Amino acid sequence: MSVAAVAHRHYLLPDTPYAMWVRDELADYLHLPKDGTRVEVIAGEIVVSPGPSLSHNLIVGDIQKSSAKAEFADPDFPWECAHTTDLNLVRICDGYIPDLVVLRKDLADQLRDAEVRHLLPHHIDLVVEVTSFSTAADDRQPGPKRLNSTKWNGYAYTGIPYYLLIDRDPRLAKATLYRDPDVRAGTYRTLATWPFGETIHLPDLFNFNIPADKWTPWDSGA
């Protein structure tokens, strides 16, 4: 079963995990394989996780296809999707790799021309995470036993307007859309939830919906 590893021995590093992540040095320093393995800095801790499964990636693909379908139907569709793009959360000194982000198309074109290394939170209107067995606790709202912040908190602390969490845990199997980030408390308000199989209706701002009829919970740690 694939699991995420958390590195606590920061005193062995020549700099802070965040500073090394920003300079794209952290993965090489840790001698991580270039096989899709991800390295992120969450609440100041280094989190290394295996590449996602096919089922996980197909869900991300379904969201991208839904956006592309809406764009085909409306030439003025204003949104662009990008997957597994580094996100520099400067305010809290964390570095994430979201499964998917949605940003304004005109802004995406500017960032493409500028060849930016990392996205910043103010670039993004919607961030999407699809849980895996090894990373689910880092993606969700923290429970009472969690001592450190999660990506749910980080996205709220940095003011990303919407967070769509697709939780493949067999005990849950649902999508939850959060909004109205409280940047002081690092919390969101829940806007809506959908069990797997139901179509996700995003707010009119985004103007596209996401069918979830093929989505399934993880199996054997997928």
mmCIF file of all heavy atoms in Angstrom, residues 180-216:
data_model
loop_
_atom_site.group_PDB
_atom_site.id
_atom_site.type_symbol
_atom_site.label_atom_id
_atom_site.label_comp_id
_atom_site.label_asym_id
_atom_site.label_seq_id
_atom_site.Cartn_x
_atom_site.Cartn_y
_atom_site.Cartn_z
ATOM 1 N N ASP A 180 -15.905 31.172 0.723
ATOM 2 C CA ASP A 180 -15.784 32.214 1.741
ATOM 3 C C ASP A 180 -14.639 31.936 2.709
ATOM 4 O O ASP A 180 -14.842 31.745 3.906
ATOM 5 C CB ASP A 180 -17.096 32.360 2.529
ATOM 6 C CG ASP A 180 -18.264 32.774 1.661
ATOM 7 O OD1 ASP A 180 -18.030 33.422 0.622
ATOM 8 O OD2 ASP A 180 -19.408 32.446 2.014
ATOM 9 N N PRO A 181 -13.401 31.924 2.217
ATOM 10 C CA PRO A 181 -12.277 31.660 3.118
ATOM 11 C C PRO A 181 -12.120 32.765 4.170
ATOM 12 O O PRO A 181 -12.233 33.953 3.856
ATOM 13 C CB PRO A 181 -11.080 31.636 2.162
ATOM 14 C CG PRO A 181 -11.497 32.490 1.002
ATOM 15 C CD PRO A 181 -12.962 32.227 0.842
ATOM 16 N N ASP A 182 -11.851 32.344 5.390
ATOM 17 C CA ASP A 182 -11.501 33.262 6.468
ATOM 18 C C ASP A 182 -9.984 33.255 6.563
ATOM 19 O O ASP A 182 -9.395 32.294 7.065
ATOM 20 C CB ASP A 182 -12.135 32.796 7.785
ATOM 21 C CG ASP A 182 -11.901 33.772 8.936
ATOM 22 O OD1 ASP A 182 -10.836 34.421 8.959
ATOM 23 O OD2 ASP A 182 -12.766 33.840 9.835
ATOM 24 N N VAL A 183 -9.346 34.301 6.075
ATOM 25 C CA VAL A 183 -7.883 34.288 5.973
ATOM 26 C C VAL A 183 -7.215 34.407 7.332
ATOM 27 O O VAL A 183 -6.028 34.091 7.464
ATOM 28 C CB VAL A 183 -7.378 35.395 5.024
ATOM 29 C CG1 VAL A 183 -7.895 35.177 3.617
ATOM 30 C CG2 VAL A 183 -7.758 36.780 5.534
ATOM 31 N N ARG A 184 -7.921 34.846 8.331
ATOM 32 C CA ARG A 184 -7.339 34.906 9.681
ATOM 33 C C ARG A 184 -7.423 33.561 10.381
ATOM 34 O O ARG A 184 -6.458 33.116 11.012
ATOM 35 C CB ARG A 184 -8.033 35.978 10.512
ATOM 36 C CG ARG A 184 -7.777 37.397 10.019
ATOM 37 C CD ARG A 184 -8.319 38.421 10.994
ATOM 38 N NE ARG A 184 -7.998 39.792 10.579
ATOM 39 C CZ ARG A 184 -8.304 40.871 11.276
ATOM 40 N NH1 ARG A 184 -8.945 40.742 12.441
ATOM 41 N NH2 ARG A 184 -7.971 42.061 10.832
ATOM 42 N N ALA A 185 -8.569 32.921 10.276
ATOM 43 C CA ALA A 185 -8.758 31.638 10.955
ATOM 44 C C ALA A 185 -8.282 30.458 10.118
ATOM 45 O O ALA A 185 -8.059 29.368 10.651
ATOM 46 C CB ALA A 185 -10.236 31.457 11.306
ATOM 47 N N GLY A 186 -8.146 30.650 8.803
ATOM 48 C CA GLY A 186 -7.762 29.545 7.936
ATOM 49 C C GLY A 186 -8.865 28.517 7.802
ATOM 50 O O GLY A 186 -8.615 27.309 7.836
ATOM 51 N N THR A 187 -10.090 28.985 7.607
ATOM 52 C CA THR A 187 -11.241 28.088 7.510
ATOM 53 C C THR A 187 -12.121 28.492 6.332
ATOM 54 O O THR A 187 -12.054 29.617 5.839
ATOM 55 C CB THR A 187 -12.096 28.124 8.789
ATOM 56 O OG1 THR A 187 -12.550 29.472 9.019
ATOM 57 C CG2 THR A 187 -11.293 27.644 9.990
ATOM 58 N N TYR A 188 -12.953 27.540 5.908
ATOM 59 C CA TYR A 188 -13.934 27.767 4.846
ATOM 60 C C TYR A 188 -15.344 27.496 5.372
ATOM 61 O O TYR A 188 -15.532 26.819 6.401
ATOM 62 C CB TYR A 188 -13.702 26.796 3.689
ATOM 63 C CG TYR A 188 -12.633 27.169 2.704
ATOM 64 C CD1 TYR A 188 -11.405 26.517 2.710
ATOM 65 C CD2 TYR A 188 -12.848 28.134 1.722
ATOM 66 C CE1 TYR A 188 -10.421 26.813 1.781
ATOM 67 C CE2 TYR A 188 -11.867 28.450 0.788
ATOM 68 C CZ TYR A 188 -10.665 27.788 0.820
ATOM 69 O OH TYR A 188 -9.694 28.095 -0.104
ATOM 70 N N ARG A 189 -16.306 27.976 4.618
ATOM 71 C CA ARG A 189 -17.701 27.608 4.822
ATOM 72 C C ARG A 189 -18.089 26.581 3.766
ATOM 73 O O ARG A 189 -17.714 26.721 2.605
ATOM 74 C CB ARG A 189 -18.598 28.843 4.702
ATOM 75 C CG ARG A 189 -20.080 28.564 4.933
ATOM 76 C CD ARG A 189 -20.871 29.856 4.992
ATOM 77 N NE ARG A 189 -20.878 30.578 3.730
ATOM 78 C CZ ARG A 189 -21.777 30.361 2.762
ATOM 79 N NH1 ARG A 189 -22.704 29.405 2.893
ATOM 80 N NH2 ARG A 189 -21.731 31.078 1.655
ATOM 81 N N THR A 190 -18.814 25.561 4.171
ATOM 82 C CA THR A 190 -19.280 24.549 3.218
ATOM 83 C C THR A 190 -20.453 25.090 2.416
ATOM 84 O O THR A 190 -21.443 25.548 2.983
ATOM 85 C CB THR A 190 -19.712 23.267 3.954
ATOM 86 O OG1 THR A 190 -18.609 22.747 4.691
ATOM 87 C CG2 THR A 190 -20.198 22.213 2.966
ATOM 88 N N LEU A 191 -20.320 25.051 1.094
ATOM 89 C CA LEU A 191 -21.388 25.526 0.230
ATOM 90 C C LEU A 191 -22.332 24.395 -0.162
ATOM 91 O O LEU A 191 -23.556 24.550 -0.124
ATOM 92 C CB LEU A 191 -20.797 26.177 -1.024
ATOM 93 C CG LEU A 191 -21.807 26.698 -2.056
ATOM 94 C CD1 LEU A 191 -22.686 27.786 -1.438
ATOM 95 C CD2 LEU A 191 -21.092 27.255 -3.279
ATOM 96 N N ALA A 192 -21.774 23.231 -0.569
ATOM 97 C CA ALA A 192 -22.614 22.118 -1.024
ATOM 98 C C ALA A 192 -21.809 20.833 -1.003
ATOM 99 O O ALA A 192 -20.570 20.852 -1.054
ATOM 100 C CB ALA A 192 -23.141 22.382 -2.440
ATOM 101 N N THR A 193 -22.511 19.722 -0.928
ATOM 102 C CA THR A 193 -21.884 18.397 -1.039
ATOM 103 C C THR A 193 -22.694 17.543 -2.008
ATOM 104 O O THR A 193 -23.905 17.719 -2.145
ATOM 105 C CB THR A 193 -21.810 17.676 0.325
ATOM 106 O OG1 THR A 193 -23.142 17.499 0.843
ATOM 107 C CG2 THR A 193 -20.988 18.461 1.326
ATOM 108 N N TRP A 194 -22.001 16.627 -2.685
ATOM 109 C CA TRP A 194 -22.640 15.709 -3.628
ATOM 110 C C TRP A 194 -22.055 14.314 -3.437
ATOM 111 O O TRP A 194 -20.812 14.154 -3.487
ATOM 112 C CB TRP A 194 -22.363 16.135 -5.071
ATOM 113 C CG TRP A 194 -22.828 17.513 -5.425
ATOM 114 C CD1 TRP A 194 -24.026 17.876 -5.964
ATOM 115 C CD2 TRP A 194 -22.073 18.737 -5.310
ATOM 116 N NE1 TRP A 194 -24.068 19.224 -6.183
ATOM 117 C CE2 TRP A 194 -22.884 19.787 -5.794
ATOM 118 C CE3 TRP A 194 -20.786 19.035 -4.840
ATOM 119 C CZ2 TRP A 194 -22.457 21.113 -5.813
ATOM 120 C CZ3 TRP A 194 -20.352 20.360 -4.858
ATOM 121 C CH2 TRP A 194 -21.185 21.374 -5.338
ATOM 122 N N PRO A 195 -22.886 13.310 -3.236
ATOM 123 C CA PRO A 195 -22.357 11.937 -3.221
ATOM 124 C C PRO A 195 -21.911 11.539 -4.617
ATOM 125 O O PRO A 195 -22.395 12.084 -5.622
ATOM 126 C CB PRO A 195 -23.550 11.105 -2.742
ATOM 127 C CG PRO A 195 -24.757 11.904 -3.123
ATOM 128 C CD PRO A 195 -24.345 13.348 -3.035
ATOM 129 N N PHE A 196 -20.972 10.602 -4.692
ATOM 130 C CA PHE A 196 -20.542 10.101 -5.995
ATOM 131 C C PHE A 196 -21.756 9.601 -6.767
ATOM 132 O O PHE A 196 -22.635 8.938 -6.218
ATOM 133 C CB PHE A 196 -19.540 8.968 -5.830
ATOM 134 C CG PHE A 196 -18.128 9.440 -5.533
ATOM 135 C CD1 PHE A 196 -17.872 10.743 -5.162
ATOM 136 C CD2 PHE A 196 -17.057 8.566 -5.621
ATOM 137 C CE1 PHE A 196 -16.587 11.185 -4.889
ATOM 138 C CE2 PHE A 196 -15.763 8.988 -5.356
ATOM 139 C CZ PHE A 196 -15.525 10.300 -4.993
ATOM 140 N N GLY A 197 -21.779 9.911 -8.044
ATOM 141 C CA GLY A 197 -22.911 9.543 -8.900
ATOM 142 C C GLY A 197 -23.778 10.734 -9.245
ATOM 143 O O GLY A 197 -24.450 10.734 -10.280
ATOM 144 N N GLU A 198 -23.765 11.757 -8.389
ATOM 145 C CA GLU A 198 -24.535 12.967 -8.672
ATOM 146 C C GLU A 198 -23.674 13.994 -9.401
ATOM 147 O O GLU A 198 -22.466 14.082 -9.171
ATOM 148 C CB GLU A 198 -25.073 13.581 -7.373
ATOM 149 C CG GLU A 198 -26.179 12.790 -6.721
ATOM 150 C CD GLU A 198 -26.833 13.557 -5.579
ATOM 151 O OE1 GLU A 198 -26.464 14.742 -5.370
ATOM 152 O OE2 GLU A 198 -27.696 12.982 -4.902
ATOM 153 N N THR A 199 -24.305 14.775 -10.248
ATOM 154 C CA THR A 199 -23.588 15.821 -10.964
ATOM 155 C C THR A 199 -23.243 16.971 -10.028
ATOM 156 O O THR A 199 -24.086 17.427 -9.252
ATOM 157 C CB THR A 199 -24.435 16.339 -12.138
ATOM 158 O OG1 THR A 199 -24.660 15.277 -13.059
ATOM 159 C CG2 THR A 199 -23.732 17.492 -12.853
ATOM 160 N N ILE A 200 -22.007 17.427 -10.098
ATOM 161 C CA ILE A 200 -21.558 18.560 -9.287
ATOM 162 C C ILE A 200 -21.946 19.845 -10.011
ATOM 163 O O ILE A 200 -21.552 20.063 -11.166
ATOM 164 C CB ILE A 200 -20.040 18.504 -9.074
ATOM 165 C CG1 ILE A 200 -19.672 17.257 -8.263
ATOM 166 C CG2 ILE A 200 -19.524 19.767 -8.399
ATOM 167 C CD1 ILE A 200 -18.197 16.972 -8.218
ATOM 168 N N HIS A 201 -22.712 20.682 -9.338
ATOM 169 C CA HIS A 201 -23.163 21.942 -9.914
ATOM 170 C C HIS A 201 -22.326 23.073 -9.313
ATOM 171 O O HIS A 201 -22.538 23.464 -8.164
ATOM 172 C CB HIS A 201 -24.648 22.167 -9.640
ATOM 173 C CG HIS A 201 -25.534 21.105 -10.218
ATOM 174 N ND1 HIS A 201 -25.825 21.035 -11.566
ATOM 175 C CD2 HIS A 201 -26.175 20.059 -9.640
ATOM 176 C CE1 HIS A 201 -26.613 20.000 -11.796
ATOM 177 N NE2 HIS A 201 -26.842 19.387 -10.646
ATOM 178 N N LEU A 202 -21.390 23.566 -10.079
ATOM 179 C CA LEU A 202 -20.574 24.676 -9.617
ATOM 180 C C LEU A 202 -21.385 25.965 -9.656
ATOM 181 O O LEU A 202 -22.370 26.069 -10.391
ATOM 182 C CB LEU A 202 -19.329 24.809 -10.483
ATOM 183 C CG LEU A 202 -18.335 23.644 -10.422
ATOM 184 C CD1 LEU A 202 -17.168 23.896 -11.369
ATOM 185 C CD2 LEU A 202 -17.830 23.413 -9.010
ATOM 186 N N PRO A 203 -20.979 26.971 -8.882
ATOM 187 C CA PRO A 203 -21.706 28.256 -8.915
ATOM 188 C C PRO A 203 -21.720 28.854 -10.315
ATOM 189 O O PRO A 203 -20.874 28.546 -11.156
ATOM 190 C CB PRO A 203 -20.897 29.125 -7.942
ATOM 191 C CG PRO A 203 -20.185 28.163 -7.056
ATOM 192 C CD PRO A 203 -19.896 26.958 -7.889
ATOM 193 N N ASP A 204 -22.681 29.746 -10.541
ATOM 194 C CA ASP A 204 -22.835 30.355 -11.863
ATOM 195 C C ASP A 204 -21.580 31.073 -12.329
ATOM 196 O O ASP A 204 -21.355 31.219 -13.537
ATOM 197 C CB ASP A 204 -24.009 31.348 -11.848
ATOM 198 C CG ASP A 204 -25.355 30.649 -11.714
ATOM 199 O OD1 ASP A 204 -25.410 29.436 -11.992
ATOM 200 O OD2 ASP A 204 -26.331 31.309 -11.331
ATOM 201 N N LEU A 205 -20.766 31.512 -11.387
ATOM 202 C CA LEU A 205 -19.502 32.158 -11.737
ATOM 203 C C LEU A 205 -18.691 31.310 -12.706
ATOM 204 O O LEU A 205 -18.084 31.819 -13.652
ATOM 205 C CB LEU A 205 -18.693 32.408 -10.458
ATOM 206 C CG LEU A 205 -17.235 32.844 -10.615
ATOM 207 C CD1 LEU A 205 -17.179 34.259 -11.172
ATOM 208 C CD2 LEU A 205 -16.507 32.764 -9.270
ATOM 209 N N PHE A 206 -18.685 29.985 -12.495
ATOM 210 C CA PHE A 206 -17.868 29.090 -13.317
ATOM 211 C C PHE A 206 -18.621 28.560 -14.524
ATOM 212 O O PHE A 206 -18.024 28.240 -15.547
ATOM 213 C CB PHE A 206 -17.350 27.931 -12.466
ATOM 214 C CG PHE A 206 -16.441 28.391 -11.360
ATOM 215 C CD1 PHE A 206 -16.897 28.456 -10.054
ATOM 216 C CD2 PHE A 206 -15.144 28.798 -11.627
ATOM 217 C CE1 PHE A 206 -16.074 28.902 -9.030
ATOM 218 C CE2 PHE A 206 -14.317 29.243 -10.616
ATOM 219 C CZ PHE A 206 -14.781 29.303 -9.313
ATOM 220 N N ASN A 207 -19.927 28.399 -14.382
ATOM 221 C CA ASN A 207 -20.776 28.074 -15.529
ATOM 222 C C ASN A 207 -20.424 26.752 -16.187
ATOM 223 O O ASN A 207 -20.481 26.614 -17.406
ATOM 224 C CB ASN A 207 -20.750 29.207 -16.563
ATOM 225 C CG ASN A 207 -21.924 29.139 -17.520
ATOM 226 O OD1 ASN A 207 -22.998 28.659 -17.143
ATOM 227 N ND2 ASN A 207 -21.728 29.603 -18.748
ATOM 228 N N PHE A 208 -20.018 25.754 -15.386
ATOM 229 C CA PHE A 208 -19.939 24.395 -15.904
ATOM 230 C C PHE A 208 -20.175 23.411 -14.773
ATOM 231 O O PHE A 208 -19.911 23.705 -13.609
ATOM 232 C CB PHE A 208 -18.619 24.116 -16.641
ATOM 233 C CG PHE A 208 -17.382 24.023 -15.785
ATOM 234 C CD1 PHE A 208 -16.891 22.787 -15.372
ATOM 235 C CD2 PHE A 208 -16.671 25.165 -15.433
ATOM 236 C CE1 PHE A 208 -15.735 22.697 -14.622
ATOM 237 C CE2 PHE A 208 -15.509 25.078 -14.692
ATOM 238 C CZ PHE A 208 -15.043 23.842 -14.277
ATOM 239 N N ASN A 209 -20.723 22.271 -15.139
ATOM 240 C CA ASN A 209 -21.045 21.218 -14.184
ATOM 241 C C ASN A 209 -20.182 19.995 -14.460
ATOM 242 O O ASN A 209 -19.655 19.826 -15.562
ATOM 243 C CB ASN A 209 -22.529 20.857 -14.260
ATOM 244 C CG ASN A 209 -23.417 22.033 -13.883
ATOM 245 O OD1 ASN A 209 -23.131 22.755 -12.937
ATOM 246 N ND2 ASN A 209 -24.493 22.225 -14.636
ATOM 247 N N ILE A 210 -20.058 19.142 -13.466
ATOM 248 C CA ILE A 210 -19.140 18.008 -13.555
ATOM 249 C C ILE A 210 -19.897 16.712 -13.271
ATOM 250 O O ILE A 210 -20.319 16.481 -12.138
ATOM 251 C CB ILE A 210 -17.990 18.163 -12.537
ATOM 252 C CG1 ILE A 210 -17.302 19.517 -12.708
ATOM 253 C CG2 ILE A 210 -17.001 17.026 -12.680
ATOM 254 C CD1 ILE A 210 -16.430 19.908 -11.522
ATOM 255 N N PRO A 211 -20.089 15.851 -14.265
ATOM 256 C CA PRO A 211 -20.736 14.562 -13.997
ATOM 257 C C PRO A 211 -19.804 13.648 -13.217
ATOM 258 O O PRO A 211 -18.602 13.589 -13.477
ATOM 259 C CB PRO A 211 -21.020 14.012 -15.397
ATOM 260 C CG PRO A 211 -20.011 14.682 -16.269
ATOM 261 C CD PRO A 211 -19.758 16.039 -15.679
ATOM 262 N N ALA A 212 -20.359 12.955 -12.246
ATOM 263 C CA ALA A 212 -19.555 12.076 -11.391
ATOM 264 C C ALA A 212 -20.071 10.639 -11.406
ATOM 265 O O ALA A 212 -19.844 9.878 -10.477
ATOM 266 C CB ALA A 212 -19.549 12.616 -9.953
ATOM 267 N N ASP A 213 -20.741 10.267 -12.492
ATOM 268 C CA ASP A 213 -21.363 8.950 -12.546
ATOM 269 C C ASP A 213 -20.347 7.807 -12.637
ATOM 270 O O ASP A 213 -20.656 6.661 -12.284
ATOM 271 C CB ASP A 213 -22.335 8.866 -13.727
ATOM 272 C CG ASP A 213 -21.694 9.283 -15.036
ATOM 273 O OD1 ASP A 213 -21.258 10.444 -15.122
ATOM 274 O OD2 ASP A 213 -21.609 8.453 -15.947
ATOM 275 N N LYS A 214 -19.111 8.097 -13.071
ATOM 276 C CA LYS A 214 -18.085 7.049 -13.189
ATOM 277 C C LYS A 214 -17.118 7.038 -12.006
ATOM 278 O O LYS A 214 -16.205 6.207 -11.972
ATOM 279 C CB LYS A 214 -17.288 7.236 -14.487
ATOM 280 C CG LYS A 214 -18.119 7.048 -15.753
ATOM 281 C CD LYS A 214 -17.253 7.215 -16.987
ATOM 282 C CE LYS A 214 -18.075 7.020 -18.253
ATOM 283 N NZ LYS A 214 -17.227 7.202 -19.495
ATOM 284 N N TRP A 215 -17.299 7.918 -11.067
ATOM 285 C CA TRP A 215 -16.355 8.035 -9.960
ATOM 286 C C TRP A 215 -16.566 6.922 -8.948
ATOM 287 O O TRP A 215 -17.721 6.564 -8.611
ATOM 288 C CB TRP A 215 -16.492 9.375 -9.281
ATOM 289 C CG TRP A 215 -16.134 10.533 -10.169
ATOM 290 C CD1 TRP A 215 -15.767 10.488 -11.482
ATOM 291 C CD2 TRP A 215 -16.122 11.921 -9.801
ATOM 292 N NE1 TRP A 215 -15.507 11.742 -11.963
ATOM 293 C CE2 TRP A 215 -15.712 12.653 -10.954
ATOM 294 C CE3 TRP A 215 -16.395 12.606 -8.629
ATOM 295 C CZ2 TRP A 215 -15.593 14.032 -10.941
ATOM 296 C CZ3 TRP A 215 -16.275 13.980 -8.621
ATOM 297 C CH2 TRP A 215 -15.870 14.690 -9.762
ATOM 298 N N THR A 216 -15.474 6.396 -8.451
ATOM 299 C CA THR A 216 -15.533 5.305 -7.481
ATOM 300 C C THR A 216 -14.586 5.591 -6.329
ATOM 301 O O THR A 216 -13.591 6.311 -6.480
ATOM 302 C CB THR A 216 -15.120 3.969 -8.135
ATOM 303 O OG1 THR A 216 -13.789 4.094 -8.671
ATOM 304 C CG2 THR A 216 -16.087 3.567 -9.224
#
